[in-house]
Amino acid sequence: MEFRKLTELDITNKKVLIRLDLNVPLKKGKITDDTRITSAIPTLRYILERTHKVAIMSHLGRPDGEVMPEYSLEPVGARLAELLGVEVVFVKDYAEEPAEHVLNQLDRNQIILFENLRFHAGETKNDVNFARHLAQGFEFYVNDAFGTLHRAHASVVAAAELFAPEKRAAGLLVEQEISVLSTLQKKPQAPFTVIMGGSKVSDKIGVVLNLLNHANYLLIGGAMAYTFLKYQGVEVGDSRVEADKMDLISQIYRNAEARKVEIILPEDHVCAASFAANATPIESQGKAIAPGLMGLDIGNRTIKRFTDIIALSKTVLWNGPMGVFEFDNFARGSLRIAEAMAKSPAFTVIGGGDSVAAANKAGIASKIDHISTGGGASLEFLEGKILPGVRVLLK
Ligand code: AMP
């Protein structure tokens, strides 16, 4: 898959439109985690070393086509100004009047930031007229919004298509993400261990089936594990089970057997009588969970088994928490997996918002080789799909 890269464009003194994913978490107008902004800085610096005529666009949250002040990108603009040492000119009315005139009047130390794209219904509808307003007056298009490449939205697809193919490219973050994820898909060093968790088998089936082509071990935790255990005839009490997904599990086992992938399920659990942060944790004695209890985390024996496998692996990919890590009483499994990955000499990759949050909670994120900035996008990529935002950048 050959896509055009920013480093292949000659953007010297040119007018560049940049799509970023600056969708940061905000609390009372304050940014609580600026990872997505700092991840975009290398691309921005690269561009600003060559031209100052740039505009940045991004979405934030899901305002669904309405102007909602709590989703304004203004705090993001302030942080960008700090990090880049430039003045950020905030443009709100680009949907009525293209920002071309503002662009032509920019001083050397000024850049444009468009207000939240999703304040306009045209964005998620991939509306060409809306895209024209975004793109008018620009000569090059750069997409570094890895987390939104799986969305066929106006700023990702329709706007890109308004530029000649040789004038659109992927930024440095997208290049790096795709390079790592492609390695996992094509030539990971063995043993390759895939750890899957989170809530639903149905969300991850495509990824699991695709990764079975290359993995040696598939470790299953989180609520997903109870559907697997149920399929095996194990009593799982009141744990969350997707009873209508047994055919998917059977397909996974068939493929795993054909490709000699070992699937490893939890051997014990941390259970509770209710789904609540203050529920009393009860350790199960084995695989089975008694009626009236639900499994909310993997138990100690499972942690040991999983961490032993991580230690002998050369490549490890983790997506989805091992339990309800948002509740401290049921976070241990996810934290131990994060720590085991940090200690492992293997090439380690974490994708998916919740497992990344677990890695941050464990304080080990800096020891992971690659943390994907896009949960949904990385999963769809690993399923083997060509993401709409990548398709428009192909050579
Ligand atoms: P996902 O978005 O599919 O990766 O799922 C993440 C969510 O799964 C988190 O909010 C977890 O709290 C939840 N989860 C993980 N393990 C369990 C479990 N055993 N029972 C219920 N929910 C779980």
Side-chain angles (χ1 to χ4, degrees), residues 106-167:
L106 283 183
D107 278 344
R108 287 207 72 81
N109 68 332
Q110 292 180 317
I111 61 170
I112 293 173
L113 173 65
F114 287 162
E115 176 58 292
N116 194 344
L117 292 163
R118 291 196 190 158
F119 282 178
H120 307 280
E123 167 64 358
T124 53
K125 291 189 181 133
N126 199 20
D127 182 290
V128 178
N129 286 327
F130 177 63
R132 279 201 189 99
H133 276 245
L134 298 172
Q136 191 170 317
F138 291 91
E139 295 160 290
F140 285 88
Y141 170 89
V142 174
N143 192 336
D144 210 23
F146 179 74
T148 33
L149 291 181
H150 59 315
R151 309 260 184 229
H153 290 176
S155 62
V156 179
V157 175
E161 285 171 341
L162 294 170
F163 294 79
E166 65 279 8
K167 297 206 165 167

Side-chain angles (χ1 to χ4, degrees), residues 23-256:
N23 182 25
V24 291
L26 290 171
K27 218 175 211 170
K28 294 192 180 135
K30 294 238 171 339
I31 298 166
T32 54
D33 178 355
D34 70 355
T35 310
R36 285 201 159 133
I37 305 178
T38 53
S39 305
I41 296 299
T43 286
L44 289 174
R45 282 203 201 290
Y46 180 95
I47 294 172
L48 290 173
E49 276 162 18
R50 289 159 179 81
T51 179
H52 67 280
K53 295 171 199 154
V54 306
I56 298 169
M57 45 183 187
S58 174
H59 70 287
L60 195 147
R62 296 192 170 180
D64 291 338
E66 304 274 322
V67 176
M68 296 171 77
E70 64 271 35
Y71 291 117
S72 171
L73 277 170
E74 254 184 294
V76 171
R79 186 78 184 114
L80 274 175
E82 249 169 47
L83 289 168
L84 294 168
V86 296
E87 188 188 324
V88 173
V89 179
F90 198 56
V91 174
K92 290 184 179 173
D93 60 356
Y94 55 89
E96 288 86 53
E97 196 182 346
E100 198 172 5
H101 62 288
V102 187
L103 182 69
N104 291 332
Q105 285 165 16
L106 283 183
D107 278 344
R108 287 207 72 81
N109 68 332
Q110 292 180 317
I111 61 170
I112 293 173
L113 173 65
F114 287 162
E115 176 58 292
N116 194 344
L117 292 163
R118 291 196 190 158
F119 282 178
H120 307 280
E123 167 64 358
T124 53
K125 291 189 181 133
N126 199 20
D127 182 290
V128 178
N129 286 327
F130 177 63
R132 279 201 189 99
H133 276 245
L134 298 172
Q136 191 170 317
F138 291 91
E139 295 160 290
F140 285 88
Y141 170 89
V142 174
N143 192 336
D144 210 23
F146 179 74
T148 33
L149 291 181
H150 59 315
R151 309 260 184 229
H153 290 176
S155 62
V156 179
V157 175
E161 285 171 341
L162 294 170
F163 294 79
E166 65 279 8
K167 297 206 165 167
R168 17 171 145 140
L172 305 177
L173 175 67
V174 166
E175 189 183 336
Q176 189 206 6
E177 290 266 15
I178 291 184
S179 147
V180 170
L181 297 175
S182 303
T183 309
L184 292 187
Q185 254 197 340
K186 290 189 197 120
K187 41 179 182 347
Q189 261 204 60
F192 175 26
T193 297
V194 175
I195 311 164
M196 283 281 154
S199 53
K200 288 191 192 152
V201 180
S202 39
D203 286 352
K204 314 239 162 123
I205 177 81
V207 190
V208 169
L209 287 175
N210 204 23
L211 289 174
L212 284 176
N213 292 320
H214 305 286
N216 302 98
Y217 298 99
L218 175 61
L219 316 184
I220 309 273
M224 266 174 83
Y226 303 105
T227 306
F228 277 79
L229 286 166
K230 181 94 186 167
Y231 173 84
Q232 302 248 310
V234 176
E235 180 55 61
V236 296
D238 293 347
S239 303
R240 208 201 265 187
V241 167
E242 287 173 275
D244 59 337
K245 294 296 174 320
M246 295 304 159
D247 50 337
L248 293 184
I249 307 275
S250 144
Q251 197 186 345
I252 290 175
Y253 273 107
R254 276 201 312 274
N255 285 25

Side-chain angles (χ1 to χ4, degrees), residues 197-200 203-204 222-223 226 240 275 295-297 319-326 354:
S199 53
K200 288 191 192 152
D203 286 352
K204 314 239 162 123
Y226 303 105
R240 208 201 265 187
F275 187 89
L296 295 183
D297 195 9
N319 182 295
M322 297 289 99
V324 187
F325 79 104
E326 299 93 330
D354 284 315

Side-chain angles (χ1 to χ4, degrees), residues 267-269 283-288 301:
E267 293 168 12
D268 59 350
H269 321 271
E283 312 266 343
S284 77
Q285 294 311 309
K287 267 190 213 172
R301 272 208 319 226

